[in-house]
Amino acid sequence: MKIRLSTGKLLPIEMYKIKIVQETSLPPVAQRQQTITDAGFNTFLLRTRDIFLDMLTDSGTNAMSDRQLSAMMVADDAYAGSESFYRLADAVRDVLGFQFVMPVHQGRAAEHLLAKTFVKPGDLVLMNYHFTTSKAHIDLAGGKVLELFGDGALQTQSDNPFKGNMDLARLAAAIEQNGRERIAYIRMEATTNLIGGQPFSMENLREVHALASNFNIPLVLDGSLISENAYFIQQREAEFAGHSVSEIILEMMSHVDIFYMSGRKSAAARGGLIATNRQELHNRILPWLPVYEGFATYGGMSTKEIEAMAVGLREMTAQSVASSSADFIAYFVNRLVEEGVPVVTPAGGLACHLDARRFIPQVPQQQYPAGALAAAIFLTSGVRGMERGTLSTDRDADGNDVMAEMELVRLAFPRRVYTMSHIEYTVDRLKWLFAHRDLIGGLRFVDEPPVLRFFFGRLEATSPWPQALAEAFRADFGEDC
Ligand code: F0G
């Protein structure tokens, strides 16, 4: 939510009171250098106690509301027929307009079931952009992902409001060239995570749906960040200027055959779900639910989390909640633009994204510039971000590195967790780091897992640059900062 000040300036403002807090501390720079080295320069391998501001992800790290917490107290722990499930089903019907819902333990479990049910070896899944886990499950089922984003989607400096749109001409051509039979489904991702949290427009969704329906191809929507995408439609698409987030979400869902989400983001809980109005599609997925997740009324989730997700789904439609991170991220991004630090524009839905290629052009892609920048940010600020570039892309079948289309460091902004002074502190340290960017060098693997290597991979610096960076930092800020 933004509030107009007497100067006319719009200020993002917290529409909540902070009633429970978790203490955090800022370990000194020498300790940060040690911990990031011990963690193999992989921010996933850091411990919370060593981190000041955790901007790794907005997944499962959002602040719950008092209503969510209180709903958890009335959870009904039945293996089958839990009342908690029926409260979730009511919320899904009211908020998303779907009759059938299957809870799963988190978003990637939904992706697993969808790939298992619909993808055969040799099949294609057409999408606006992939997410790591969605691609992994399609690959494991023997399918292949085709990304059909539009011109300019990968440009990091842009004023295109809908970089998440699918290119309709490319979509039509892909269907024609490959034949309808080879296409398992079309997947649209709300605020495409890996290209900077960029939304698609309603107009684009309508057109993708019209084309998919012509060929009788199911349209699947990954709505892990559904309320943010709806908020951007309201803010950026003229037709929806006066519409509520609820109305926009319901219209979005009217164009979708299967909806799934990680409940850990927009819904501020820990779980996930698949929903549809098409009974035949539901009936194909359902038998696999108890095999991989749990019985149909809990799907691997704790009933407490089902209750929290039901409330979170309703709450995410409030203007103050749907905008809660988006407005702060826009402020964060604009402050960095003011300071000349290279970021992805326009601001997206889940994080502020730094463009490592423009930040440290001296580090070649073979030396994982986004990973190196994430490590350098931690070293100089205690802020933990996440690499989203070549490190997050697994090798091809011949063992060659696949160069990512973008080299980003994501500083996620969990909903209702961090404040304006946290942003100002981070902006200050990033400004300092950008001024000292020549000190940053590359990374190389010392231990590399075969799949989703960014999670557990360990790396080392290609030169003693972390030492030089820490020394420069100490010279300006002293030992204790
Ligand atoms: N789809 C999208 C768009 C996601 O961002 C995620 C997770 C998933 C699916 C998988 O959901 O984690 O509940 O299994 N994104 C997290 C992130 C991990 O940090 O961006 P999950």
Side-chain angles (χ1 to χ4, degrees):
M1 203 90 152
K2 291 188 287 280
I3 250 171
R4 189 177 298 281
L5 299 182
S6 53
T7 57
K9 192 180 157 197
L10 288 175
L11 184 77
I13 198 140
E14 297 83 354
M15 296 302 288
Y16 44 82
K17 296 193 280 186
I18 299 167
K19 296 197 287 188
I20 294 182
V21 296
Q22 181 181 0
E23 252 183 53
T24 185
S25 63
L26 174 57
V29 60
Q31 196 177 322
R32 299 197 297 266
Q33 189 193 337
Q34 190 61 49
T35 48
I36 193 68
T37 306
D38 293 346
F41 291 87
N42 181 347
T43 55
F44 276 97
L45 302 180
L46 292 166
R47 283 180 66 157
T48 291
R49 68 175 185 195
D50 298 319
I51 296 164
F52 176 37
L53 304 177
D54 194 358
M55 299 190 182
L56 183 77
T57 181
D58 62 337
S59 170
T61 55
N62 303 296
M64 277 199 183
S65 70
D66 46 4
R67 291 194 197 92
Q68 282 182 291
L69 271 178
S70 61
M72 291 172 100
M73 296 297 120
V74 294
D76 175 24
D77 266 324
Y79 187 94
S82 163
E83 287 302 323
S84 301
F85 169 77
Y86 292 102
R87 282 189 276 273
L88 174 67
D90 288 347
V92 168
R93 201 174 39 250
D94 294 348
V95 174
L96 302 168
F98 293 117
Q99 221 185 319
F100 303 105
V101 58
M102 289 167 276
V104 291
H105 81 273
Q106 61 185 84
R108 67 201 68 186
E111 292 168 335
H112 175 217
L113 292 182
L114 292 176
K116 180 98 204 150
T117 308
F118 299 109
V119 179
K120 300 185 305 300
D123 278 358
L124 297 173
V125 178
L126 313 182
M127 52 180 77
N128 51 352
Y129 209 77
H130 79 281
F131 183 69
T132 52
T133 53
S134 44
K135 180 169 183 307
H137 284 294
I138 292 162
D139 287 349
L140 287 169
K144 192 165 171 271
V145 165
L146 273 192
E147 291 168 317
L148 306 173
F149 48 84
D151 283 348
L154 307 183
Q155 267 166 28
T156 56
Q157 274 171 300
S158 167
D159 55 8
N160 178 351
F162 293 112
K163 285 197 275 182
N165 279 355
M166 192 175 271
D167 185 306
L168 297 163
R170 290 182 73 195
L171 175 61
I175 299 172
E176 196 183 318
Q177 278 157 21
N178 296 290
R180 189 266 163 262
E181 315 68 50
R182 266 194 78 195
I183 297 165
Y185 50 88
I186 297 171
R187 171 181 174 276
M188 287 291 276
E189 183 180 312
T191 79
T192 36
N193 190 327
L194 295 189
I195 63 170
Q198 303 294 314
F200 55 73
S201 67
M202 188 76 85
E203 186 188 5
N204 187 252
L205 183 66
R206 280 182 190 138
E207 287 171 336
V208 171
H209 180 226
L211 220 114
S213 310
N214 272 348
F215 290 93
N216 196 22
I217 304 171
L219 177 55
V220 174
L221 175 61
D222 177 342
S224 305
L225 285 151
I226 189 66
S227 58
E228 279 75 12
N229 203 119
Y231 176 63
F232 286 128
I233 287 176
Q234 182 197 57
Q235 300 292 307
R236 299 178 183 178
E237 197 167 352
E239 184 188 340
F240 293 93
H243 292 225
S244 69
V245 170
S246 294
E247 288 165 349
I248 295 170
I249 290 179
L250 280 170
E251 156 133 25
M252 290 169 93
M253 296 306 130
S254 71
H255 302 300
V256 166
D257 296 297
I258 298 175
F259 173 87
Y260 78 90
M261 75 190 299
S262 166
R264 300 166 61 86
K265 292 180 173 244
S266 289
R270 287 152 204 86
L273 61 85
I274 304 174
T276 181
N277 276 330
R278 291 184 48 183
Q279 186 154 21
E280 78 282 9
L281 297 177
H282 169 258
N283 289 353
R284 284 181 66 188
I285 304 165
L286 185 65
W288 296 107
L289 185 58
V291 177
Y292 291 106
E293 295 295 305
F295 188 70
T297 55
Y298 77 95
M301 283 182 73
S302 122
T303 52
K304 286 191 170 48
E305 293 291 349
I306 290 181
E307 295 280 2
M309 193 161 76
V311 174
L313 281 175
R314 293 186 189 279
E315 289 185 343
M316 76 180 184
T317 65
Q319 186 74 13
S320 59
V321 178
S323 64
S324 62
S325 56
D327 286 346
F328 278 95
I329 291 165
Y331 177 88
F332 197 171
V333 165
N334 292 337
R335 285 284 295 112
L336 288 166
V337 169
E338 273 170 29
E339 301 294 354
V341 178
V343 283
V344 174
T345 55
L350 73 153
C352 167
H353 292 79
L354 297 158
D355 182 357
R357 275 205 182 124
R358 283 191 282 140
F359 203 114
I360 41 170
Q362 74 274 18
V363 178
Q365 262 195 302
Q366 291 77 1
Q367 294 181 15
Y368 312 120
L373 182 57
I377 291 170
F378 177 75
L379 199 154
T380 46
S381 64
V383 174
R384 168 160 81 160
M386 184 193 290
E387 194 270 1
R388 295 278 76 160
T390 298
L391 262 182
S392 297
T393 314
D394 286 337
R395 289 180 189 269
D396 65 18
D398 303 324
N400 301 312
D401 248 338
V402 177
M403 297 303 151
E405 287 160 320
M406 302 177 100
E407 294 288 349
L408 305 181
V409 177
R410 184 179 89 172
L411 299 178
F413 203 74
R415 287 159 201 75
R416 302 179 292 199
V417 172
Y418 292 125
T419 62
M420 190 72 91
S421 47
H422 291 134
I423 293 182
E424 286 298 340
Y425 164 81
T426 310
V427 168
D428 180 78
R429 291 303 191 257
L430 290 170
K431 183 180 156 190
W432 183 90
L433 187 61
F434 190 57
H436 294 80
R437 59 191 178 277
D438 292 350
L439 295 174
I440 305 173
L443 298 175
R444 62 177 158 248
F445 269 105
V446 287
D447 183 15
E448 184 178 343
V451 67
L452 297 181
R453 61 184 181 169
F454 61 92
F455 280 130
F456 303 121
R458 303 186 80 86
L459 300 101
E460 63 184 9
T462 51
S463 67
W465 66 260
Q467 184 62 33
L469 188 63
E471 272 162 25
F473 184 86
R474 255 194 300 272
D476 283 358
F477 296 99
E479 280 299 328
D480 298 335
C481 278

